[in-house]
């Protein structure tokens, strides 16, 4: 098959171009080292704490016999709370979601903490109100109050080593204490009996992580994205040197040419993941995975490599020479790396289409690659956790490949089929 010949040719050229290979494999290491030495704990002051709220409250009947859900009330209070010293800034950015999705948001540090409101929260609040009223009017003895006391426990979860969680968790505990105090003082002005408790839990796989642990997978994605610049320059150079013309004369199909070139460069992307993982571990990355994690990460890296090479085809379709391709590639790749969150998390920007809500960054395959790599290498997740991101990344990479083949065929191979 002709694509095998193209693959062998590109392998030989790859080995012979030692300077280019050095740049591809080792240049990203310098970025990894810079971020490894430069980044420590980071925090922000007077900015909203991003929290995910999981409201499991079933509601209850109040003293008048009406249904009431204090979990909804607490969520609304969280959303409306401002900083005491700055009434123009919200204390919390609240995302109401499910527990499983909240855990995913925690692992990607989209939110700082998760607050789970238990099913009996309304019962405990109503018990607090009833017993406070009865105690203040002398209608119930302390023994009966104790017998009728219903308590609930609000769970605050997150990465206990993450500074953002530590600040958000402390703020939440203080707010919840004030919330209970506010219920009682609104009735009698008395000090409350403890009906609402809090519990702090660490999310599995997030213990003792640093900012560098969170950033290392982003450096891998950035390195894979850099392939687009290199491959675009090589493809353009083949046009200038006449290699592409000779291949056209041999009736080489566009698919054979481009798919054949895809194979070695995709393997380079997989190699980048392994090399940068080793360097990151040496620099202090707290890797939670296993050999299986490395294999899964290589597969993820290869899929991202396919997307980057497809992007290179698109760039080469419009570049006039290899220098222009390299410059255009850099102009596209660097902003893309930032948009995908390779260097730091970006604020959530949601759009709604046909009734479905998603983040605008989700249209890029490297966004899902980063999420999957971070879950596998930093949190030790398996296929069951990252499968959806890997599949979406693969689909988007395939779409990019089809677009790349189409544009390159039209602009560089004429009417070739």
């Amino acid at each position: 098959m002709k694509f095998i010949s193209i693959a062998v040719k590109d392998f030989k050229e790859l080995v012979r171009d030692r300077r280019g290979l050095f740049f591809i494999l080792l240049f990203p290491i310098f970025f990894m080292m810079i971020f490894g030495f430069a980044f420590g704990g980071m925090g922000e002051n007077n900015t909203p704490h991003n929290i995910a709220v999981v409201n499991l409250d079933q509601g209850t009947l109040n003293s008048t016999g009406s249904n009431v859900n204090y979990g909804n009330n607490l969520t609304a209070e969280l959303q409306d709370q401002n900083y005491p010293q700055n009434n123009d800034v919200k204390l919390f950015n609240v995302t109401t979601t499910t527990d499983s999705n909240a855990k995913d948001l925690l692992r990607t540090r989209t939110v700082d903490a998760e607050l789970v409101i238990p099913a009996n929260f309304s019962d405990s609040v109503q018990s607090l109100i009833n017993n406070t009223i009865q105690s203040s009017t002398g209608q119930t003895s302390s023994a009966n109050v104790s017998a009728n006391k219903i308590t609930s426990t609000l769970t605050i979860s997150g990465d206990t080593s993450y500074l953002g969680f530590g600040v958000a968790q402390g703020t939440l505990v203080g707010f919840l204490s004030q919330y209970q105090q506010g219920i009682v003082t609104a009735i009698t002005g008395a000090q409350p009996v403890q009906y609402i408790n809090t519990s702090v839990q660490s999310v599995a796989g997030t213990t003792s992580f640093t900012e560098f642990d969170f950033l290392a997978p982003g450096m891998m994605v950035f390195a894979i994205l850099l392939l687009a610049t290199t491959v675009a320059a090589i493809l353009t150079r083949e046009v200038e040197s006449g290699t592409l013309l000779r291949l056209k004369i041999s009736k080489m199909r566009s698919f054979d040419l481009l798919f054949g070139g895809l194979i070695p460069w995709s393997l380079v992307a997989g190699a980048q993941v392994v090399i940068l993982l080793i360097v990151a571990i040496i620099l202090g990355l707290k890797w939670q995975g296993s050999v299986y994690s490395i294999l899964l990460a290589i597969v993820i890296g290869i899929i991202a490599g396919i997307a980057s090479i497809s992007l290179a085809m698109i760039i080469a379709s419009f570049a006039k020479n290899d220098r222009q391709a390299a410059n255009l590639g850099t102009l596209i790749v660097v902003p893309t790396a930032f948009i995908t969150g390779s260097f730091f998390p970006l604020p959530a920007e949601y759009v709604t289409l046909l009734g479905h809500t998603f983040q605008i960054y989700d249209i890029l395959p490297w966004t899902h690659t980063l999420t999957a790599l971070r879950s596998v290498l930093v949190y030790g997740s398996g296929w069951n956790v990252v499968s959806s991101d890997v599949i979406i990344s693969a689909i988007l990479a395939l779409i990019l490949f089809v677009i790349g083949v189409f544009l390159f065929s039209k602009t560089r191979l004429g009417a070739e089929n």
Side-chain angles (χ1 to χ4, degrees), residues 53-247:
V53 175
V54 180
N55 186 10
L56 305 178
D57 189 15
Q58 300 297 310
T60 190
L61 296 176
N62 61 16
S63 57
T64 64
S66 301
N67 287 316
V68 61
N69 190 302
Y70 287 104
N72 292 337
N73 173 262
L74 174 59
T75 303
E77 291 279 349
L78 288 166
Q79 293 171 330
D80 294 338
Q81 184 67 34
N82 293 331
Y83 271 93
Q85 66 272 30
N86 189 346
N87 290 328
D88 295 329
V89 180
K90 293 292 183 183
L91 187 59
F92 302 103
N93 280 332
V94 178
T95 300
T96 55
T97 184
T98 62
D99 183 59
S100 60
N101 186 54
K103 293 296 190 294
D104 290 336
L105 295 176
L106 284 172
R107 293 189 178 95
T108 58
R109 292 191 178 174
T110 305
V111 299
D112 301 318
E114 173 197 14
L115 175 66
V116 179
I117 303 174
N120 69 333
F121 180 71
S122 285
D123 290 331
S124 67
V125 174
Q126 193 59 49
S127 175
L128 168 62
I129 294 172
N130 293 340
N131 287 326
T132 300
I133 294 174
Q134 291 168 358
S135 296
S136 64
T137 58
Q139 297 176 4
T140 306
S141 66
S142 59
N144 288 333
V145 168
S146 178
N148 295 327
K149 181 180 178 181
I150 301 175
T151 62
S152 63
T153 300
L154 296 159
T155 304
I156 304 172
S157 301
D159 180 355
T160 55
S161 68
Y162 177 41
L163 180 60
F165 170 73
V167 177
Q169 175 258 326
T171 306
L172 270 173
V173 170
F175 174 85
L176 294 173
S177 177
Q178 291 177 5
Y179 178 81
Q180 181 176 214
Q181 176 75 39
I183 293 173
V184 174
T185 53
I187 300 171
T188 65
Q191 290 294 321
V193 178
Q194 193 71 22
Y195 280 69
I196 303 171
N197 304 299
T198 57
S199 172
V200 178
Q201 296 181 357
S202 175
V203 175
T206 63
T207 304
S208 301
F209 288 139
T210 65
E211 290 294 332
F212 178 64
D213 297 321
F214 187 75
L215 285 168
M219 293 295 94
M220 297 176 189
V221 172
F222 177 56
I224 294 171
L225 267 167
L226 283 176
L227 284 176
T229 300
T230 304
V231 176
I234 291 174
L235 287 173
T236 309
R237 193 180 304 129
E238 287 196 340
V239 175
E240 292 182 283
S241 65
T243 302
L244 194 59
L245 178 61
R246 292 192 293 271
L247 290 173

